[in-house]
Amino acid sequence: MVSCASFAIVASLMIGMSQAFFLDTNNKTNVIENLNIVAKGLMDYYQGDDYGGVVGMFHSPYYWWEAGGAWGSLIDYVYYTQNDTLKPTIMAALNHQTGDDNNYIPLNQSTTEGNDDQGFWGIAVMAAAEKNFGTPDDDKKAYLALAQGVFNTMASRWDESACGGGLRWQIFQWNSGYDYKNSVSNGCLFHIAARLARYTGNTSYSDWAEKVYDWMTDIQLLNNTPDFPDHWFVYDGIHADTGGEDVCHNMTKYQWTYNQGLFLSGCAYMYNFTGEEKWRNRTLNLLTGAEVFFNTTAWKGSWVMQEAACQRVDNCNNDQRSFKAYFARFLGLTSLMMPETSDKIRKWLVDSANAAAGSCSGGTDGVTCGLDWTLGHWDGKYGLGEQMCALEVMNNLLIHEMPPPYTADNGGTSVGNPAGGFGTKMLGTDPLKLNGGDTAGASIITALVGVSIIGAGIWLLV
């Protein structure tokens, strides 16, 4: 591993603050001390322990999907620091939000949830399975079984009515965005499939990963440019009207860190599982393409992570302010699954962690983290996303200090359920295909819901 010159940052812009944030990226004890500070700041946004709060949820304006992302970050934190203080809280959150069918479609989210929302909870429990995070009392809620339940229900929604395949952004037709096929939804399915393939050894999952990847390249949401053939990028999504394969239009070419990271690390998992050269090349090309997400000018050649599509114009929304957290996590996993990438990724993580530490100098406590890491000081922004990003980039400084993700063959103990996720709607031996009865039943339920809403409206008017 490259010996990266690290430098200490002591930052406290608030006069009279008793705390100062000091990070030495080569000192494991120091990194853990600072992770403890950032994790405490993250948990300040948690509502599950408050009177009337919901277990697993964070305070408004943070949506349910971001809670799944936050628990994934905290699973990493507990594992890399070996600090179990938050473990009971994390396990309670993962258990409470599973929904009746153990697939992370809880009743309180079932009418608004998107495929990507479900996917981020699936990624969290996949990490819990790979890290032997714990053993829930109910085997139906074992972390591997939950990840399989998420995968099965997502894969069952694969839609060939437009664009020749792919997942729509939204699960339900009445939600805005149903006519959009986005990379993050498909990236979650690809990513979970690749990790399940490696964990279980079941090639049906790797077949699905191949299927999603091929669709992404065929539709050109995953693409390069003639000027930079070895730089592969992931674009945001494409509009898709029902009616055939040729009705896709108006591709949105925004590039986000978490989309790049989902496919980058998924390809690395596929290479680790298959040993196939094509997955190695795909990983390397996506890694090269990821260079667009680093600012190398503000810190004189250091590689400082940024959410390029919104930070440069200072308009990142609440969701986008958390994206770098997942990107840092997926970079770390890539370095584990494909060690030849570790030197380059280590340089990126060290430089970004040093810069992030400079941003963790705000708020009334003097250690609140900001969004823009290129300034060397707090930028006045704060929130769950900012804390998550700082936590994950520092988490992954320790990623090589612990064993790599387990599999069922080398120490993984989580109980699986290959046909999970459908509860009372179990589909038999092939849980990935909905039959005509399922489709008809869903249509009837949708119609009844619509009639009920209209009837309620008329009753109110009367």
Side-chain angles (χ1 to χ4, degrees), residues 111 174 446-460:
T111 59
W174 56 74
T446 301
L448 289 173
V449 170
V451 169
S452 299
I453 292 171
I454 294 169
I458 293 171
W459 181 84
L460 286 170

Side-chain angles (χ1 to χ4, degrees), residues 38-106:
V38 179
K40 180 181 181 300
L42 189 157
M43 289 301 294
D44 286 343
Y45 296 94
Y46 184 52
Q47 68 162 239
D49 294 332
D50 298 344
Y51 179 78
V54 179
V55 174
M57 290 294 291
F58 290 78
H59 287 287
S60 178
Y62 304 108
Y63 295 116
W64 181 78
W65 85 271
E66 195 167 340
W71 297 121
S73 296
L74 289 165
I75 288 168
D76 284 357
Y77 160 73
V78 168
Y79 185 67
Y80 298 136
T81 64
Q82 293 294 283
N83 179 351
D84 287 346
T85 304
L86 291 177
K87 192 169 184 177
T89 302
I90 298 168
M91 293 183 70
L94 296 178
N95 177 78
H96 189 77
Q97 294 292 331
T98 58
D100 291 341
D101 293 334
N102 297 319
N103 57 10
Y104 287 102
I105 307 181

Side-chain angles (χ1 to χ4, degrees), residues 122-185:
I123 290 169
V125 287
M126 188 71 240
E130 291 175 337
K131 292 177 169 62
N132 283 345
F133 191 73
T135 305
D137 294 334
D138 184 352
D139 282 350
K140 293 179 182 178
K141 294 180 183 288
Y143 298 128
L144 177 60
L146 292 172
Q148 289 171 313
V150 170
F151 170 82
N152 287 339
T153 49
M154 290 184 72
S156 72
R157 302 184 200 113
W158 186 259
D159 168 44
E160 297 186 359
S161 68
C163 306
L167 288 180
R168 293 177 181 270
W169 177 16
Q170 298 298 326
I171 296 173
F172 303 104
Q173 296 183 31
W174 56 74
N175 287 332
S176 176
Y178 183 76
D179 64 343
Y180 193 61
K181 295 196 173 182
N182 60 350
S183 293
V184 64
S185 296

